[in-house]
Amino acid sequence: MLSVAVPLGLALCLLLALPFLLHYHLEETRARQHALDSENRVLELAQQAAVQEVASVLSDLRFLHEQNEMRDLLRGDAPGARERLAAEYLTFVSQKPRYEQAAVIGADGGEVVRVDGNDGRPTVAGAPALQWKGDCAHFQETMRLGRGEVHLSPLDLILQGGAVQMPLKPVLRASVALFGAGGERRGVLTLSYHGRRLLTRLRAYAQGGASQLWLLNEQGYWLAGPDPALEWGFAFPERSDRTLAAREPEAWERIRAEVAGTVDTADGLLTFRRVYPLAGDASASDAPAMASPHRYSWTLATLLPHAALSKRMAGLAGTLLAVYGVTAPLLFGGTLWLTYRSARGRARLREAQRRERERMLELAHANRLASVGEMATQMAHQVNQPLTAIVTYCAAAQRSLQSGAGDLSRVREWVDAIGEEAQRVSAIVRGLREFVRRGKMAPVPLDLGEVVAGVVGALRPDADRRRVKLGVETPAGLPAVLADRVLVAQALLNLVRNAIEAVSVEPSERRRVVVSLALEGDRVVVSVADTGPGVDPGLAGRLFESFVTTKPEGLGMGLSITRSIVEAHGGQLRYDPAPSGGAVFSFSLRRSAP
Ligand code: ADP
């Protein structure tokens, strides 16, 4: 029982695990999607903030460019224009602490006006403090621009005396070229914006979440990154290899190739999106260069560590495991119990079958004892012949011995013959004894023709007395069947006796019973057909039940026993009305292996 129940229980427990795994998998996919959605929201807000921030810088730049004081300066003939411009810029920078500096650089590269933010205490740079910026990239590049075009420097760190100023001061310079009345280039107006303000604003969006927000420049250097030591790599010779490109080459390749996306990296889920800060410069709608805002970009990215996702899933896994931990043993135990119950049920059935078979054997035995009368008639007939022969041989031998002149060799022959006849008697008696034995079913390869002959022989005296023609139709070469000789003879005896009784009510010329054998596939079919009135329709459906009889002296056990015997041999007892009236009872037995 355990050999079935344990694997079955385990298999069911495994099956039960499937919905749990599926649920976990779906939840994981959902959680991942949820995480991605929220990362994308953060990136979108950060993107908008970056674009807005740069747009407001550009708008301020244009405002300064259009001021009267600037026009005066460019005309070059207004006395005190430079001072007025300086005063104007001082007010402007005081009101807008986001700027580190506002400056006008002459066409020769020398600063003309400069106001420094000076950490919230803006000052106008006096003449000695003015510097030469002719070699600065942003100056040179802006000088090449057309009217209205804006130059945006990379987000960079302020240098002091050739080295990075400490603490680090990120700065973003927006510049326009200045043109004189004749269209000649007169210099550059530059507004330096505190990059720290942008970075702080961007980082605020990721605050409280599980992920970090990064800002990367076009070379893959972190402007805001996972760790301060990794940031501004391009500004420090010893950090020049600290790029995302070096750390996560595949992710970087994707970032370069796609505008937005998600990459699985060793550290976690990297969601990225490219930002074009110039794309939000609404004030430049009339400026030709702004038609290509995509020339300048940053990459915003969030890194959601694997641990953050798995932490979310760990809770669910714990719950699922707990539920599974409770249900699986229940299922396992239930399976064991059910299997045990059904095994017990099967044992009861088998026990019931065994008892039924025993009962059948008992009944068959009783049934046979009832038939002994017929057998005895038949036996008396059979025994009579050898006994008569024995008596004759004995008398001849006695005579020969008494005369004293007898031939001894002849006496010896008679004695041998007596022995043989006695053997025949003994075989007949043995047959009877076997017939009435009670016992277990013992299937052996059996010649059904022989059994039929035996039964027909036993019933013939009765048939003769009732003037019933009893015929046998057995084709030659039938294979042996596997069956219990005595029980099959018994079943056949019951059927043939019923048939003889049934035809007895018919006029004597119509009284006919035929026992026939036929091979059908691997079975031999035995049928008993008679020319009687056929089975009473009132017995329909109950014919093979016990104690069903229409005969005044009948017991109603014959067909019930016959059916039990046939079924015990794996066959089925059938009743069919004969086409010409009368009854046909038949059953089949499997042939024994050749
Ligand atoms: P019994 O012979 O003691 O009545 P059976 O179980 O052998 O018990 O038969 C049950 C009944 O089936 C019989 O009483 C009879 O009505 C019917 N029967 C059996 N064999 C035949 C047959 N060959 N022809 C018509 N009726 C039959």
Side-chain angles (χ1 to χ4, degrees), residues 494-495 498-499 501-502 530 533-536 539 543 545 548-551 553-560 583 585:
N494 291 347
L495 295 180
N498 276 349
E501 282 173 11
D530 65 59
V535 169
D536 186 331
L539 300 186
L543 183 62
E545 286 173 16
V548 170
T549 179
T550 53
K551 300 170 192 166
E553 310 282 300
L555 271 177
M557 289 306 298
L559 288 181
S560 144
F585 285 85

Side-chain angles (χ1 to χ4, degrees), residues 170-199:
V171 71
L172 185 69
R173 291 187 184 85
S175 317
V176 281
L178 302 170
F179 289 86
E184 76 283 11
R185 283 191 166 76
R186 296 287 303 274
V188 165
L189 166 60
T190 299
L191 205 46
S192 302
Y193 164 85
H194 275 306
R196 183 66 65 203
R197 183 185 141 101
L198 173 69
L199 299 178

Side-chain angles (χ1 to χ4, degrees), residues 23 80 94 98 115 187 198 206 226 351 435 471 513 558:
H23 180 67
S94 313
R98 75 181 78 155
V115 170
L198 173 69
E351 174 62 17
F435 186 72
V513 173

Side-chain angles (χ1 to χ4, degrees), residues 255-272:
I255 288 174
R256 294 312 294 159
E258 293 163 30
V259 177
T262 303
V263 205
D264 252 323
T265 70
D267 297 327
L269 206 59
L270 189 73
T271 310
F272 63 87

